Amino acid sequence: MEDLDFALKYPFSSEAKRIIEDMALTDQIVILGVERIKKSLRGESTKRMVLHESGKKEEIASFAAARMILGYLRNSFITSKFSINESKLVRNYIDKESKGTIERVASRFDIVPLRKDGKLLLDLPTYVSYSIRSTHYRLINRKITNGFVEINDNDFKRLVEEAVRKHIEDIPLVKDAPEAIKRAGEKLIEELPKSETTIVVKKGDHPPCILKLLESAKKHENLNHSARWYLAVYLNGIGTGEDAITGIYTQLPDFSEKTTRYQIKHLKKKGYNVPSCATVMSYGLCCAVCRVGNPIRWHKLNEQRKKEILK
Ligand code: SF4
């Protein structure tokens, strides 16, 4: 029973695999799998209260069914939404777990930190594999001794969350999917939000760092907090309206219209200036040597150039 409850919370675990290996793929499991993905698309928690053993097993199998549907669809937007939502749920669980259980989940991804002299130390390759793109996790801001990175308990949980997200996102292609999976996948495609982007992105209109972020958004890749903030401040700085900025953010896997609009209104009200290239570089978002000092200057110079051509 202990393994069953563990597998229910962590359906990617070897315990979960063992529990469902002899189960048949029933219509009910596919329905639950679809529901799991739909909740991810809506940004809702996929946590369900299940009491009976058979219900728990179906719930675990619904995770596998959802992955089969995603493996059949190969749609990066839905997969990304699903992996973020499920990894956030795992984070909620591990926030309440004992150290031993967190380590049990982490070991699934070979994240095995050492506890030494009251410190938590993680080997460099594992740290690099699962650290997220954020200033706090950059190696330059970390204490590294003999190939081990010092982390705290919160970092440890965040690394596990990222490992879960990466694992879930890495779905193998399902070539010969059962009919029920194919039907479920095709219906799901209709759930995709239509992009309301009204900005026409032309090469040359924006600096390379911004083009890269717009490209990532188009591919439905997740952007970290600094990247979202920088992109929004830049777009606002060149006079883009709230609806058009929101339209770009609809493409991100964990899009929330309410939060996005609130944040855009907030930064417009505060009148934040576009950060300098040096600051953008410190966010890890600079990707060229433009010698403009500030990304907004790129846009201004480009506008000037266009006017001169028209003269
Ligand atoms: S040099 Fe400035 S404008 Fe160019 S990519 Fe880097 S941050 Fe962007």
Side-chain angles (χ1 to χ4, degrees):
M1 197 63 177
E2 196 202 316
D3 270 0
L4 186 59
D5 287 332
F6 180 84
L8 187 63
K9 288 196 262 185
Y10 310 109
F12 46 80
S13 59
S14 50
E15 288 84 345
K17 233 180 193 177
R18 215 169 37 246
I19 287 166
I20 62 165
E21 65 190 354
D22 295 327
M23 283 174 75
L25 183 72
T26 63
D27 286 347
Q28 174 63 7
I29 291 171
V30 176
I31 289 169
L32 290 172
V34 170
E35 197 44 44
R36 213 164 172 136
I37 300 173
K38 281 184 176 176
K39 280 186 175 173
S40 295
L41 287 171
R42 296 193 295 264
E44 292 171 10
S45 169
T46 52
K47 185 178 176 181
R48 281 182 70 236
M49 278 297 290
V50 212
L51 297 175
H52 299 293
E53 190 179 321
S54 59
K56 288 181 181 179
K57 285 185 178 172
E58 275 183 345
E59 194 59 25
I60 298 165
S62 75
F63 174 81
R67 291 195 82 210
M68 276 179 87
I69 294 168
L70 297 172
Y72 167 68
L73 286 179
R74 306 297 289 170
N75 180 302
S76 60
F77 178 73
I78 309 181
T79 303
S80 196
K81 280 257 192 196
F82 181 74
S83 60
I84 289 173
N85 213 47
E86 291 283 338
S87 62
K88 279 187 176 162
L89 178 63
V90 168
R91 176 58 194 264
N92 279 338
Y93 286 135
I94 60 174
D95 272 342
K96 295 172 197 111
E97 300 283 20
S98 65
K99 272 184 189 164
T101 306
I102 300 171
E103 283 169 6
R104 185 177 170 191
V105 178
S107 68
R108 161 72 178 81
F109 307 102
D110 295 324
I111 304 175
V112 187
L114 305 173
R115 292 191 185 269
K116 203 176 166 194
D117 305 327
K119 289 177 189 158
L120 206 52
L121 304 168
L122 186 64
D123 65 281
L124 191 55
T126 308
Y127 178 86
V128 170
S129 300
Y130 300 125
S131 68
I132 56 167
R133 273 198 298 167
S134 136
T135 319
H136 177 71
Y137 289 90
R138 291 184 75 191
L139 287 175
I140 201 163
N141 297 323
R142 291 280 154 176
K143 194 169 172 197
I144 306 169
T145 318
N146 297 330
F148 285 84
V149 185
E150 207 177 299
I151 57 171
N152 60 33
D153 285 321
N154 192 56
D155 297 335
F156 180 30
K157 289 177 193 170
R158 185 66 184 88
L159 293 169
V160 174
E161 180 187 337
E162 182 61 5
V164 172
R165 189 196 66 74
K166 279 191 166 175
H167 167 73
I168 297 177
E169 197 174 55
D170 186 21
I171 294 176
L173 169 70
V174 177
K175 271 190 189 158
D176 300 314
E179 276 309 309
I181 293 288
K182 286 184 187 171
R183 275 198 306 275
E186 274 138 29
K187 266 183 86 182
L188 256 175
I189 288 294
E190 292 160 21
E191 303 280 332
L192 273 177
K194 307 282 172 278
S195 172
E196 294 157 18
T197 308
T198 52
I199 292 179
V200 180
V201 179
K202 284 196 213 127
K203 249 191 174 163
D205 275 1
H206 307 288
C209 48
I210 290 294
L211 283 179
K212 203 172 165 204
L213 294 177
L214 290 170
E215 236 354 89
S216 294
K218 206 166 139 196
K219 286 195 245 157
H220 308 301
E221 287 169 3
N222 200 21
L223 299 181
N224 68 25
H225 176 73
S226 315
R228 281 167 201 238
W229 181 83
Y230 167 50
L231 181 60
V233 171
Y234 171 85
L235 292 171
N236 181 50
I238 63 164
T240 313
E242 183 185 316
D243 286 347
I245 302 178
T246 307
I248 288 180
Y249 283 71
T250 57
Q251 303 170 108
L252 302 182
D254 58 352
F255 170 70
S256 152
E257 179 157 5
K258 201 174 147 203
T259 314
T260 306
R261 286 195 182 273
Y262 170 80
Q263 281 165 351
I264 297 169
K265 279 192 178 81
H266 179 72
L267 69 88
K268 277 183 183 287
K269 198 170 138 196
K270 289 271 176 190
Y272 289 122
N273 289 325
V274 176
S276 66
C277 290
T279 308
V280 176
M281 196 179 282
S282 75
Y283 296 159
L285 300 172
C286 174
C287 57
V289 186
C290 310
R291 301 188 201 285
V292 285
N294 189 303
I296 198 102
R297 237 177 89 72
W298 171 290
H299 183 75
K300 284 181 183 160
L301 289 170
N302 189 53
E303 291 297 295
Q304 228 169 21
R305 192 180 52 85
K306 281 201 272 187
K307 275 184 202 154
E308 275 160 18
I309 291 169
L310 288 172
K311 270 184 196 168

